[in-house]
Amino acid sequence: MKIDVCFSPALYPVYHNPEAIVVVVDVFRATTTMAAAFGNGVRSIRPVATVEEAQAYKAKGWLVGAERNVKRCEFADFGNSPFDYTPEKVSGKDIVFTTTNGTRAITIARSAYRVVTGAFINLHAVAGYCLAYKRDVVVLCSGWQDKVNMEDTLFGGALADILVNTGLYGTGSDAAVIARDMWTNNKKDPAGYLELSEHIARLKANHLEDAVPYCLTLNLTDKVPELVVTEDGVLILR
Amino acid sequence: MKIDVCFSPALYPVYHNPEAIVVVVDVFRATTTMAAAFGNGVRSIRPVATVEEAQAYKAKGWLVGAERNVKRCEFADFGNSPFDYTPEKVSGKDIVFTTTNGTRAITIARSAYRVVTGAFINLHAVAGYCLAYKRDVVVLCSGWQDKVNMEDTLFGGALADILVNTGLYGTGSDAAVIARDMWTNNKKDPAGYLELSEHIARLKANHLEDAVPYCLTLNLTDKVPELVVTEDGVLILR
């Protein structure tokens, strides 16, 4: 079996593998926030692509998380910080969620065998999910507006390292080798390494860097959000 | 000033900077071969996108280099090996050239301020060219059929490292940081590092790995092939 890492949604067509499990990652912060929300008992998350769709759900009475360019949209109940999704607010609830990059990446991959979301806080759980299915894996990095980013690539490398180290997986392409090397060279200090990243600069500029250490903590939850189509044809994570 | 590294032609729209010098790289082997051909006295290289165009030039009596999937096209005078372009064969000549990845990448970037081709064999010359213009630089990796590859990314890192070390350039995005780290971690043994790469496996499978050490040798020529439009509107390197 092979694990591959697709560095940007714009590259997904050439990394698409219909038989694979796709792990969508947006470390800062959408897929970390999703894992945190499920860890805090959320029942489902409905990813939507546009702010307009999210607003329409809000008008119908839904709880809505919405972020654009790192900031919470005014109308929304939650932004894109994992700290917004407390057990008191989300336990047992269904939520609508839209973010700049992460929710779009999820819908791009919908035709794969399975789509799940991954982050450092559920890394081992995601690896366990992949190993249970014994299938090829493609990590889809959300990036930033189709540009490559360091943090999602680093997660791809971390997952590749775990799967390759089992002896059951090989790297599927040069991209997976690059990502795995990035992880093995920096796993002792991911936070120090990512100090150079654009997105941490972007979060700091908006005083939103409080969640960075949380986003880089390994294995805080065993939840693996999985994309499913409901009976009425809606994509949800559950 | 900034140096950025675009990991695939498919990502070029998001890294495009009309004011920048674009350095197109296809280490194995198109841009190495181009630098070698200029080093051996070729007068111009006309990059064409398709095999059919190259065949039409051949029928008109041109010298033609043509490669697809690492192999020389039957009709062509030369393949994609730098060793094909000897001084005896190319000195003072105008050549038509088409390759799987490299020649396409060159035409994608044509609207930039300047387009040149780079490879390890003319690395310092390319860096000198950039420093003479004092402009932003975008390294466009040719990749393999839009997938990211290790060798072109490594070249991007090498050029980024030289320019950033002058103190005149910063890295333009996370991709440039990733590439530069790859170079600084592997510059002592690029050949050993690239043993894991897909393209070396592809060359070996076709018994075409003889040029690999040459492609990874630094600074064998001071030529920098530059894309220009002729009076009759044809793109050529000279």
Side-chain angles (χ1 to χ4, degrees):
Chain A
M1 293 175 295
K2 299 285 186 189
I3 174 160
D4 216 332
V5 182
C6 174
F7 288 2
S8 158
L11 293 177
Y12 188 69
V14 289
Y15 289 89
H16 176 61
N17 172 348
E19 300 304 318
I21 295 164
V22 173
V23 179
V24 177
V25 55
D26 187 359
V27 168
F28 298 141
R29 295 165 292 165
T31 60
T32 300
T33 295
M34 288 169 183
F38 279 97
N40 288 339
V42 81
R43 192 168 69 176
S44 76
I45 294 177
R46 188 173 291 212
V48 299
T50 68
V51 170
E52 291 68 30
E53 284 172 271
Q55 277 180 305
Y57 276 104
K58 178 68 190 165
K60 286 190 275 185
W62 285 67
L63 277 174
V64 172
E67 169 256 12
R68 279 301 178 275
N69 298 315
V70 311
K71 293 180 196 162
R72 179 172 72 82
C73 300
E74 289 267 332
F75 70 89
D77 302 287
F78 315 101
N80 195 12
S81 170
F83 302 146
D84 292 354
Y85 297 75
T86 59
E88 298 71 34
K89 288 182 183 168
V90 303
S91 184
K93 300 286 173 58
D94 301 300
I95 288 177
V96 167
F97 196 35
T98 186
T99 70
T100 310
N101 301 292
T103 49
R104 181 176 144 244
I106 290 167
T107 52
I108 285 174
R110 61 183 289 181
S111 70
Y113 178 73
R114 290 284 186 279
V115 179
V116 299
T117 68
F120 288 109
I121 70 163
N122 68 346
L123 172 63
H124 279 184
V126 169
Y129 179 101
C130 296
L131 290 167
Y133 274 103
K134 293 190 171 58
R135 288 202 164 237
D136 287 349
V137 173
V138 177
V139 177
L140 172 53
C141 300
S142 296
W144 180 261
Q145 297 175 346
D146 283 343
K147 284 197 176 183
V148 177
N149 74 26
M150 291 163 67
E151 64 274 17
D152 296 342
T153 310
L154 190 68
F155 170 87
L159 185 60
D161 196 49
I162 293 172
L163 295 184
V164 171
N165 287 344
T166 64
L168 299 170
Y169 281 81
T171 46
S173 78
D174 280 9
V177 176
I178 292 169
R180 187 179 177 213
D181 283 348
M182 184 195 275
W183 173 249
T184 54
N185 286 329
N186 296 292
K187 64 184 176 183
K188 285 185 184 162
D189 184 19
Y193 173 60
L194 293 173
E195 273 300 309
L196 292 169
S197 76
E198 290 174 275
H199 201 73
I200 287 194
R202 209 175 282 125
L203 290 169
K204 282 184 176 170
N206 289 280
H207 309 293
L208 290 169
E209 72 273 30
D210 60 322
V212 167
Y214 180 88
C215 294
L216 299 179
T217 304
L218 297 182
N219 308 321
L220 295 174
T221 174
D222 59 1
K223 302 292 184 191
V224 179
E226 187 182 44
L227 194 68
V228 295
V229 183
T230 63
E231 283 180 8
D232 40 347
V234 180
L235 285 173
I236 62 167
L237 293 159
R238 70 171 184 207
Chain B
M1 292 176 295
K2 299 286 186 188
I3 174 161
D4 216 333
V5 181
C6 175
F7 287 2
S8 158
L11 294 177
Y12 188 69
V14 288
Y15 289 90
H16 176 62
N17 172 348
E19 300 304 317
I21 296 164
V22 172
V23 179
V24 177
V25 55
D26 187 359
V27 169
F28 298 141
R29 296 164 293 166
T31 60
T32 300
T33 295
M34 289 170 183
F38 280 97
N40 288 340
V42 79
R43 192 169 67 176
S44 75
I45 293 177
R46 187 173 293 210
V48 300
T50 67
V51 170
E52 291 67 31
E53 285 172 271
Q55 276 179 307
Y57 276 105
K58 177 69 188 165
K60 287 189 275 185
W62 285 67
L63 277 174
V64 172
E67 169 257 11
R68 280 300 178 276
N69 299 315
V70 311
K71 294 179 194 163
R72 179 173 71 81
C73 300
E74 289 267 331
F75 71 90
D77 301 287
F78 315 101
N80 196 11
S81 170
F83 302 147
D84 292 355
Y85 298 74
T86 58
E88 299 71 33
K89 288 183 182 167
V90 303
S91 184
K93 301 285 174 56
D94 301 298
I95 287 178
V96 167
F97 195 36
T98 185
T99 70
T100 310
N101 301 292
T103 49
R104 182 176 143 244
I106 290 167
T107 52
I108 285 174
R110 60 183 291 183
S111 70
Y113 178 74
R114 288 285 186 280
V115 179
V116 299
T117 69
F120 288 109
I121 70 165
N122 67 346
L123 172 63
H124 279 183
V126 169
Y129 179 100
C130 296
L131 289 167
Y133 273 104
K134 294 191 172 56
R135 288 204 165 235
D136 287 348
V137 173
V138 177
V139 177
L140 172 53
C141 301
S142 297
W144 179 261
Q145 297 175 347
D146 283 342
K147 284 195 176 185
V148 177
N149 74 25
M150 291 162 68
E151 64 273 17
D152 295 343
T153 311
L154 190 68
F155 170 86
L159 185 60
D161 196 48
I162 292 172
L163 295 184
V164 171
N165 288 345
T166 63
L168 298 170
Y169 281 82
T171 47
S173 77
D174 279 9
V177 176
I178 292 169
R180 187 180 177 213
D181 282 348
M182 183 196 275
W183 173 250
T184 53
N185 286 328
N186 296 291
K187 64 184 176 184
K188 285 184 184 163
D189 183 20
Y193 173 60
L194 292 173
E195 274 299 308
L196 292 169
S197 75
E198 290 173 275
H199 203 73
I200 287 194
R202 208 176 281 126
L203 290 169
K204 282 184 175 170
N206 290 279
H207 308 293
L208 289 169
E209 73 273 30
D210 60 322
V212 167
Y214 180 88
C215 294
L216 299 179
T217 305
L218 296 181
N219 309 321
L220 295 173
T221 172
D222 60 0
K223 301 293 185 192
V224 179
E226 187 181 46
L227 193 69
V228 296
V229 183
T230 64
E231 282 179 10
D232 39 348
V234 179
L235 284 174
I236 63 167
L237 292 159
R238 70 170 183 208

